Amino acid sequence: MTLRGADGPAGLLLAAGEGSRLGRPKALLELDGERLVDRGVRTLRDGGCGPVLVVAGAAPVEVIGAVVVPNPDWRTGMGSSLRAGLAALPPGCPAVVIALVDQPRITPEAVRRLVEAYGEGARVAVATYAGRPRNPVLIAREHFAAVAEAARGDAGARTFLRAHPELVTPVPCADVAAPDDIDTPADLEAFTRRPR
């Protein structure tokens, strides 16, 4: 799959971690018969993003409908995955929605709200839940370099966002999504038992 420029935001799914507390890579976990990596790609695509890129590391993955970007430095943390993903975006990509593979309750509607905020002029948009900023996050092209520069260790876009609160457009999403993540076997069990 080749990358072409797009009129709207691309999607970037960070899926490189080994899931050390879980005991296996989160990208390959299945929930309701669907791998988390496939679910994340579908969420970004259905939310209006294209192309969709997946940053992989601990586990090699093939994903239909997405471009896989290998991150050989995945052990250094999420920052390296974000840098790899931003560097792989097609030339002229105007913005990107960044999501994490271990948050399966993020919905296409939450992504769509970020894309709509971008369409209305937001240059940085962050999904909020009860007023708290979480994921996903939209970043416009003019901030890619600064976001990449600030992404170190296990901090993705957070360092940049905290340093530039004046740029951030909050986008309430608690009525359509939740940022709960799967970090441990207990988290996974809770997800499988929870009515969806």
Side-chain angles (χ1 to χ4, degrees), residues 104-178:
R105 293 183 68 203
I106 299 300
T107 61
E109 178 57 30
V111 174
R112 200 170 295 118
R113 288 183 184 183
L114 295 181
V115 173
E116 288 171 357
Y118 168 75
E120 293 166 2
R123 309 311 289 163
V124 177
V126 178
T128 62
Y129 306 86
R132 294 186 60 217
R134 294 289 300 272
N135 291 299
V137 172
L138 178 142
I139 306 287
R141 178 176 189 76
E142 65 266 26
H143 300 301
F144 288 177
V147 170
E149 177 63 31
R152 293 289 179 261
D154 267 328
R158 182 176 59 228
T159 303
F160 172 84
L161 297 172
R162 287 182 177 168
H164 300 283
E166 74 284 359
L167 298 176
V168 175
T169 298
V171 179
C173 291
D175 59 322
V176 295

Side-chain angles (χ1 to χ4, degrees), residues 32-140:
D32 299 332
E34 183 179 34
R35 296 184 307 171
L36 291 190
V37 66
D38 297 312
R39 186 185 191 112
V41 167
R42 178 173 53 80
T43 296
L44 287 166
R45 186 167 297 289
D46 290 354
C49 297
V52 176
L53 286 70
V54 175
V55 181
V61 294
E62 290 185 17
V63 188
I64 295 172
V67 175
V68 176
V69 178
N71 174 19
D73 298 324
W74 63 267
R75 287 179 182 84
T76 65
M78 190 192 309
S80 65
S81 289
L82 180 54
R83 292 194 306 276
L86 290 173
L89 290 170
C93 176
V96 64
V97 175
I98 303 159
L100 306 182
V101 77
D102 66 351
Q103 295 182 327
R105 293 183 68 203
I106 299 300
T107 61
E109 178 57 30
V111 174
R112 200 170 295 118
R113 288 183 184 183
L114 295 181
V115 173
E116 288 171 357
Y118 168 75
E120 293 166 2
R123 309 311 289 163
V124 177
V126 178
T128 62
Y129 306 86
R132 294 186 60 217
R134 294 289 300 272
N135 291 299
V137 172
L138 178 142
I139 306 287

